[in-house]
Amino acid sequence: QKEVEQDPGPLSVPEGAIVSLNCTYSNSAFQYFMWYRQYSRKGPELLMYTYSSGNKEDGRFTAQVDKSSKYISLFIRDSQPSDSATYLCAMSGGYGNNRLAFGKGNQVVVIP
Amino acid sequence: GAVVSQHPSRVICKSGTSVKIECRSLDFQATTMFWYRQFPKKSLMLMATSNEGSKATYEQGVEKDKFLINHASLTLSTLTVTSAHPEDSSFYICSASHRDRSSYEQYFGPGTRLTVT
């Protein structure tokens, strides 16, 4: 079993729809959970950062962490064509040197 | 802000030559810098972790003599691909941990696309 599982998609949605992304993980020591957005041929950009279980909202983005189920989610409300990108989940806390474990990334396409 | 730059953004070199990639944190001091490579439609693969003034810690399977990392200051790290071969062609991305923020937050550079002919 891989440490972080993320369905690579692609996921196509119409503009204005809610985008729902998720990752599962196996390492119960993970405490820090991140979502990154990566546009084609660019480096990843940190979108959301959450410590331990709970919800975090930032504008149209909501991140949820359920440590009991080892499941994290990212929701994008009122999706825009500019949200079209690859979204990577990442997590850490299980290592002594701040290494991140990444999911494969989920490609999202928002159709105008 | 937490801006990380990389230079060059793309480079083409001949097989057998060496290539140096720079990673700079522009508006913050970075306690740790990380180097990744990414293949098309694949996730990021961590190559090494470096702290300023210390030797880099390489991941299993990454040749330290081939991928030389120097972390000379709190704002600059370099990756040198020595004696590059076509199989080294990839997208190389660095990231940095902000000294004044959680050590688990990493800020990524825009990446360097290396093509070895």
Side-chain angles (χ1 to χ4, degrees):
Chain A
Q1 182 186 12
K2 289 189 177 177
E3 208 165 28
V4 180
E5 298 273 7
Q6 183 178 11
D7 183 353
L11 176 66
S12 292
V13 300
E15 184 175 355
I18 295 175
V19 175
S20 174
L21 306 170
N22 58 76
C23 291
T24 59
Y25 62 95
S26 58
N27 189 341
S28 58
F30 286 144
Q31 297 278 359
Y32 302 88
F33 304 91
M34 277 74 60
W35 284 96
Y36 286 87
R37 177 175 62 195
Q38 185 176 23
Y39 291 112
S40 181
R41 300 178 183 272
K42 301 289 184 183
E45 168 195 0
L46 180 63
L47 266 183
M48 303 284 285
Y49 163 72
T50 309
Y51 171 69
S52 196
S53 283
N55 295 354
K56 187 172 186 178
E57 192 172 311
D58 183 1
R60 296 185 295 113
F61 299 90
T62 300
Q64 292 183 347
V65 175
D66 182 350
K67 289 190 68 181
S68 63
S69 302
K70 297 191 180 67
Y71 186 91
I72 70 170
S73 302
L74 177 71
F75 299 97
I76 307 173
R77 291 184 299 281
D78 187 25
S79 58
Q80 306 294 312
S82 59
D83 295 327
S84 298
T86 296
Y87 291 81
L88 300 110
C89 63
M91 43 201 82
S92 189
Y95 310 107
N97 58 358
N98 306 338
R99 289 167 65 233
L100 291 179
F102 281 91
K104 282 189 176 180
N106 195 322
Q107 185 182 2
V108 172
V109 178
V110 180
I111 303 167
Chain B
V3 181
V4 176
S5 72
Q6 276 184 247
H7 178 78
S9 58
R10 59 180 65 187
V11 57
I12 301 173
C13 71
K14 292 191 175 182
S15 186
T17 60
S18 295
V19 174
K20 180 185 281 189
I21 302 170
E22 288 188 353
C23 176
R24 292 182 185 272
S25 55
L26 297 184
D27 54 359
F28 67 100
Q29 292 187 320
T31 49
T32 307
M33 286 187 168
F34 305 82
W35 286 96
Y36 297 84
R37 66 186 294 183
Q38 187 177 36
F39 294 100
K41 299 189 185 298
K42 299 288 186 184
S43 191
L44 295 151
M45 184 190 82
L46 180 64
M47 299 174 66
T49 303
S50 73
N51 293 293
E52 183 258 340
S54 303
K55 286 186 179 180
T57 302
Y58 289 81
E59 294 300 299
Q60 192 173 12
V62 177
E63 299 175 59
K64 59 182 67 177
D65 293 331
K66 180 168 186 62
F67 298 100
L68 300 178
I69 292 172
N70 183 281
H71 195 157
S73 74
L74 282 172
T75 60
L76 173 64
S77 176
T78 60
L79 168 69
T80 301
V81 183
T82 62
S83 188
H85 287 95
E87 58 265 30
D88 298 324
S89 298
S90 190
F91 193 50
Y92 291 87
I93 310 176
C94 71
S95 71
S97 293
H98 195 303
R99 187 186 66 173
D100 298 327
R101 298 182 186 174
S102 166
S103 58
Y104 295 101
E105 290 182 56
Q106 290 185 25
Y107 297 89
F108 285 81
T112 297
R113 183 158 303 281
L114 170 64
T115 303
V116 185
T117 60

